[in-house]
Amino acid sequence: MNEVLLRSLTPSVLGILVRRGADFAAAEDAVQDALVEAVRVWPDDPPRDPKGWLITVAWRRFLDATRADAARRRREDLVDEEPAPGPAPAVDDTLQLYFLCAHPSLTPSSAVALTLRAVGGLTTRQIAQAYLVPEATMAQRISRAKRTVSGVRLDQPGDVATVLRVLYLVFNEGYSGDVDLAAEAIRLTRQLSAAIDHPEVAGLLALMLLHHARRAARTASDGSLVPLAEQDRGRWDTESIAEGVEILQAALVRDRLGEFQAQAAIAALHADAPTAQETDWVQIVEWYDELARLTDSPVVRLNRAVAVGEADGPRAGLAALAALDDALPRYSAVAAYLHERDGDLTTAAQLYTKAAQKASNLAERNHLTRQAARLNARGGR
């Protein structure tokens, strides 16, 4: 069973059902039923036109549910419009669905969560981690969003800011390696950039390109993580870096600074340094100050503490860190790094171990465990 093919077809099939009159929650349920049926049937009887097959089966499931629900009896008139099997138009509905999910009836946070779950392909757990909330809380938020848009005609697209937030979170989840969504997020952001003249759209595209340019160097041959300072910069994609910098510069001169432009500026400073030792940490701290002003995000302040530790010394970084909540994801890892820089190997080893226990994926957990073992071997036990 080709799970990648199924995932790539899902947004388009969902979009077709929505355009044909299905409310979003019912359409999503019907598409999920069709995917389950595909997993069962396709290994023994693969269709000649997978997309057409999914559309037909999903539409039938939607109509079956409509007939069974008296409150939706009015939709029985759509039975005669059931699409016939055969090739379906090659239309990419994904970006349109991102805007439709950002419906005005939803709060921005609920719209983002719903889109990530229904269109982006992320699990509730992954979305909860991105929002720093318990999984049960996020599950309730998504359920409320579904109920809100259930029965609502999705013909009022949401705002650009919400769609950018979704694309950013999809890219980050893909970039982590847990789900390969980074390239898809870049593709959709390119489409959005071509359609909308907006400096923050350009800033997000630049940020994605600059981060993605380093992807080949982020892991070793055995799959282990390679920290930024230790990456082989000769493996970075210089064409993507040049494109990202050019897009960023064009956005910055418009003097409408936003958080994605600020993040891209930080990424550009990393990309511009020939070696880790030549990184302009003073400028990076200044950009983090701008970013903290724009977002007031604890995660931004956590990253700023690392930059302060590089620019002004590890004790300055630890002082900046002390102002933050130690329950933040990666807090222990940052504290471990700064304590190691300060020469306190015992505390650093303990904190690396603590950070490994809280890591969200196996590669990060293994990296932090190796860091703790390295320090223990040097006498930090």
Side-chain angles (χ1 to χ4, degrees), residues 348-370:
Q350 294 170 348
L351 286 167
Y352 275 129
T353 300
K354 182 179 180 180
Q357 294 168 350
K358 297 180 178 180
S360 60
N361 61 70
L362 182 60
E364 184 180 357
R365 185 180 308 124
N366 289 342
H367 170 72
L368 293 167
T369 300
R370 281 192 294 270

Side-chain angles (χ1 to χ4, degrees), residues 279-363:
T279 302
D280 190 342
W281 286 106
V282 173
Q283 272 205 71
I284 288 176
V285 171
E286 291 174 354
W287 275 111
Y288 270 122
D289 288 339
E290 288 285 350
L291 190 55
R293 179 182 60 80
L294 290 165
T295 66
D296 195 28
S297 164
V299 175
V300 168
R301 298 187 185 280
L302 183 70
N303 291 331
R304 179 186 179 277
V306 176
V308 169
E310 298 290 352
D312 301 326
R315 295 195 179 182
L318 287 168
L321 189 65
L324 302 177
D325 185 351
D326 62 5
L328 278 172
R330 294 185 60 248
Y331 181 99
S332 296
V334 170
Y337 174 74
L338 292 171
H339 276 290
E340 181 184 356
R341 289 274 320 280
D342 196 39
D344 187 353
L345 303 189
T346 299
T347 300
Q350 294 170 348
L351 286 167
Y352 275 129
T353 300
K354 182 179 180 180
Q357 294 168 350
K358 297 180 178 180
S360 60
N361 61 70
L362 182 60

Side-chain angles (χ1 to χ4, degrees), residues 45-253:
D45 186 21
R48 286 178 296 178
D49 177 24
K51 182 177 178 180
W53 189 98
L54 285 172
I55 292 170
T56 299
V57 173
W59 187 253
R60 286 173 177 163
R61 294 302 172 93
F62 165 69
L63 292 178
D64 288 344
T66 299
R67 285 191 292 267
D69 189 344
R72 297 173 181 152
R73 193 172 300 279
R74 63 185 178 81
R75 292 190 175 89
E76 291 181 357
D77 294 336
L78 300 176
V79 171
D80 293 336
E81 297 180 21
E82 177 183 324
V91 177
D92 185 350
D93 303 288
T94 310
L95 191 56
Q96 179 189 13
L97 281 173
Y98 274 59
F99 273 96
L100 291 176
C101 285
H103 196 271
S105 63
L106 296 173
T107 64
S109 60
S110 294
V112 171
L114 178 63
T115 312
L116 290 171
R117 183 70 184 93
V119 188
L122 273 63
T123 66
T124 303
R125 176 183 60 82
Q126 291 166 336
I127 302 168
Q129 289 173 346
Y131 270 88
L132 310 181
V133 299
E135 183 175 351
T137 300
M138 183 53 66
Q140 292 174 353
R141 184 179 300 177
I142 294 172
S143 295
R144 285 196 299 269
K146 287 183 178 180
R147 288 196 298 270
T148 299
V149 300
S150 179
V152 173
R153 185 74 179 184
L154 294 178
D155 55 1
Q156 301 178 58
D159 65 357
V160 174
T162 301
V163 173
L164 289 178
R165 176 63 51 190
V166 175
L167 289 168
Y168 176 62
L169 291 174
V170 169
F171 176 82
N172 279 345
E173 192 60 45
Y175 193 67
S176 74
D178 207 24
V179 179
D180 188 11
L181 296 168
E184 173 68 359
I186 292 174
R187 184 183 70 85
L188 292 172
T189 306
R190 283 191 187 279
Q191 286 187 7
L192 188 58
S193 180
I196 299 176
D197 182 19
H198 192 297
E200 272 294 82
V201 176
L204 179 58
L205 179 56
L207 175 63
M208 289 179 175
L209 290 170
L210 289 164
H211 276 309
H212 205 59
R214 303 199 301 258
R215 188 168 191 176
R218 291 182 72 244
T219 54
S221 57
D222 61 359
S224 60
L225 290 181
V226 180
L228 177 61
E230 300 172 19
Q231 289 177 15
D232 177 0
R233 300 186 177 217
R235 298 184 65 195
W236 289 1
D237 183 348
T238 54
E239 290 186 5
S240 291
I241 290 173
E243 182 185 5
V245 169
E246 181 180 1
I247 292 171
L248 173 63
Q249 289 174 339
L252 289 176
V253 297

Side-chain angles (χ1 to χ4, degrees), residues 250-274:
L252 289 176
V253 297
R254 301 176 66 175
D255 199 24
R256 291 168 55 193
L257 184 64
E259 61 175 295
F260 295 121
Q261 295 169 73
Q263 289 189 62
I266 294 169
L269 286 167
H270 283 297
D272 187 55

